[in-house]
Amino acid sequence: MIIYEADGGSTIVYILSGAVIGYIMYSFFKAKKSMNKPPSENIKILTDDSFDKAIKTGVSLVDFWAAWCGPCKVLGPIVDEIADEIGNKANICKLDIDRNQKTAAKLGIRNIPTILLFKNGKPVDKFVGVKPKGIMLKAINRHL
């Protein structure tokens, strides 16, 4: 909101503008800080070599991501929260597609972030793009 007053009103404009810019910068750095924290201890980092064994039994959620992908950085903390909430009921995993291109190609991963949900080694659900935590938790619980 910009308020103009004939005598001295521009001060209000500067104060309001400063407050808005300050809030935007605070929000940006707060979000950036949460995106740069290390993954949850409950996350399994997969490779081309470990992938098949990791998803072979039970329910596994695999986040296909890359370090340069902005939406992947947004989804990362959500996957971490899921891993902390689910615990040992399901395998919550991440696979860097730049370092593990064979698995990504074999599964036809063309867009990232992509989340694949496996049950006993077979894909049962797929999410492309950033999705809310609740949607992914419901899918996991449906297959437990």
Side-chain angles (χ1 to χ4, degrees), residues 77-89:
I78 296 170
V79 173
D80 291 345
E81 287 178 22
I82 291 169
D84 292 338
E85 285 185 34
I86 291 292
N88 292 329
K89 292 189 258 179

Side-chain angles (χ1 to χ4, degrees), residues 37-64:
K37 70 180 194 180
S40 164
E41 295 175 0
N42 297 316
I43 297 278
K44 295 176 182 152
I45 305 300
L46 302 182
T47 64
D48 285 336
D49 296 331
S50 66
F51 183 82
D52 289 330
K53 184 177 180 184
I55 67 161
K56 189 176 186 177
T57 58
V59 175
S60 300
L61 179 143
V62 182
D63 175 14
F64 294 86

